[in-house]
Amino acid sequence: MSTKLFVGNLSFDTTENDLHDAFAAHGTVVEANLMVDRMSGRPRGFAFVTMGSPEEAQKAIEAMNGATLGGRALTVNIARPKEDRPPGGGGGRGPRRSGGGGGGGYGGGRGGRDRY
């Protein structure tokens, strides 16, 4: 049974091949996935490496957590399952207010009429 590891604090210059090579010294690397931003295509600074067995994963954690790769000290631990999140993005700001009047746009918030 394979075990997935979270690898954080990666240099933006690190490649999936770099990860594969670094972790292969500690066991069988089934997969190395470097996370990239969907919009820009740039690396996000973390990855997931799947090791061939729980024993190899533990060995890799002990060897690689705090080790330097690409000039940065890595954070390596067992990956947690992805949390369920509500659909949509950018939430957390509360409900939108409806109604008139607001202060933006033309008219300086006075309903669009200039009164002198």
Side-chain angles (χ1 to χ4, degrees):
M1 182 176 153
S2 61
T3 301
K4 188 179 277 193
L5 302 176
F6 168 82
V7 184
N9 199 35
L10 290 172
S11 163
F12 294 128
D13 297 326
T14 301
T15 66
E16 287 181 352
N17 285 337
D18 294 335
L19 285 170
H20 189 281
D21 293 346
F23 281 82
H26 309 289
T28 304
V29 176
V30 175
E31 187 176 35
N33 289 327
L34 185 64
M35 299 295 108
V36 294
D37 184 83
R38 289 181 192 161
M39 299 298 281
S40 68
R42 293 178 46 205
R44 294 183 61 195
F46 69 96
F48 294 98
V49 175
T50 305
M51 301 298 290
S53 71
E55 295 79 21
E56 291 173 330
Q58 188 58 43
K59 197 170 144 186
I61 290 170
E62 291 168 5
M64 298 299 293
N65 189 40
T68 303
L69 181 65
R72 306 209 39 182
L74 300 180
T75 300
V76 181
N77 50 46
I78 300 288
R80 293 179 294 194
K82 189 174 180 178
E83 296 177 4
D84 287 334
R85 295 185 182 157
R93 287 180 279 198
R96 284 200 157 164
R97 295 182 191 163
S98 61
Y106 296 105
R110 291 179 284 171
R113 288 189 233 155
D114 289 330
R115 296 184 189 176
Y116 294 109

